[in-house]
Amino acid sequence: MDRRIRGAALACLLLTAGLATGCTTESRADSSSSSATPDASASSKRDEAGARAGTEPDTEAATAAAYRKWGLEPLAAPPAPPATKPPRPKAEGGGVPVISEIPTQQKIVFLTFDDGAEKDPKFVTMMRELKIPFTMFLTDAAIRADYGYFKPLQHLGDGVQNHTLTHPNLRTLGASAQKQEICGQQTKLKAEYGATPRLLRPPYGNWNEDTRAAAASCGLEAIVLWRESMQITNMQYQRGDRKLHPGDIILAHFRGPSELKGTTMTEMTANMLRHIKEQGFTVARLEDYL
């Protein structure tokens, strides 16, 4: 009996020693490793999914809040720029083409602001918050007192383009004088904003064959006109149906209360965006298409 008791005790001691060698610890480590890795991976995936899920609504909420601040309903996001720009009209005689709209079936329009006389800081804030793309056609006589005003707008991605040195009616000038007005502004804008303009808007929309030739010789690629012009509360339409059409270019101006009968530039811009929204359009960047 004593031998049986001692044998059983010895067996228990050996079993206990075996368990203490690390087998149980190794088993626990394996178990811990196999369970921890999936948990960490799952947690990471949940975090990534949560981040993706939260980004778009957060952006939409911020955009909606910005539009509410300016008394507007959000415009739809513009489509991605085309991989290949639409073909331009052919220009005969060595001059540049003249363009009033961009060929597209998408419900997009393009905003352009001319001259540069009004320099309302609230307009910069408005464009930064709403992220509305537009193109600036600037005249040196209007902007030379404060070139810096337009640089924050340029940094937002808004294009700086040519509107001549002194805003003359180009039709009244000879070929040499037109070239001086256009090429001279090319030089000024390149010096101030670091980029050579590609597009010309002739003042008052007046041009002739000398204008096309001068623009080409100054390195410009197109003369840009418009289909609609924004006034104070209403748009002027060139077409009889008085509606926006896909690809239309809209003209507005850097103007303030003295020229807008007490209306500010931001109020005029808000009115323009309401017309665009009401007709089911959104705004794209002209330079992405032209």
Side-chain angles (χ1 to χ4, degrees), residues 77-138:
T84 302
K85 293 181 180 180
R88 299 173 186 169
K90 290 184 178 180
E92 299 178 358
V96 300
V98 180
I99 296 168
S100 299
E101 70 273 338
I102 301 297
T104 180
Q105 298 301 312
Q106 296 173 316
K107 295 198 74 174
I108 55 175
V109 294
F110 305 94
L111 301 189
T112 62
F113 286 83
D114 279 13
D115 303 341
E118 178 68 11
K119 302 170 185 66
D120 185 350
K122 290 184 178 179
F123 178 74
V124 179
T125 301
M126 182 185 205
M127 293 296 100
R128 183 177 64 248
E129 293 178 349
L130 298 183
K131 298 177 175 60
I132 301 293
F134 66 93
T135 299
M136 299 176 277
F137 288 92
L138 300 179

Side-chain angles (χ1 to χ4, degrees), residues 67 72-76 107-113 132-134 228 230 233 235 237 243-245 248-252 268-284:
Y67 273 86
L72 298 166
E73 294 182 11
L75 297 178
K107 295 198 74 174
I108 55 175
V109 294
F110 305 94
L111 301 189
T112 62
F113 286 83
I132 301 293
F134 66 93
E228 292 81 29
M230 185 63 200
T233 58
M235 280 189 184
Y237 298 86
K243 292 180 180 179
L244 296 173
H245 291 245
D248 278 1
I249 297 170
I250 301 174
L251 165 66
M268 179 270 292
T269 302
N271 290 334
M272 178 168 55
L273 295 176
R274 289 188 187 100
H275 285 289
I276 293 168
K277 172 70 174 180
E278 287 167 0
Q279 296 186 51
F281 284 79
T282 192
V283 179

Side-chain angles (χ1 to χ4, degrees), residues 10 14 17 26 42 45 69-70 73 78 112 115 124 126 141 153 167 173 209 226 231 236 247 274 287:
L10 180 59
L14 291 173
E26 186 174 317
K45 290 179 180 178
K69 172 183 173 179
W70 296 99
E73 294 182 11
T112 62
D115 303 341
V124 179
M126 182 185 205
L153 295 170
H167 206 272
L173 302 181
E209 290 306 309
W226 59 88
Q231 304 305 303
Q236 289 184 346
R274 289 188 187 100
E287 286 83 351

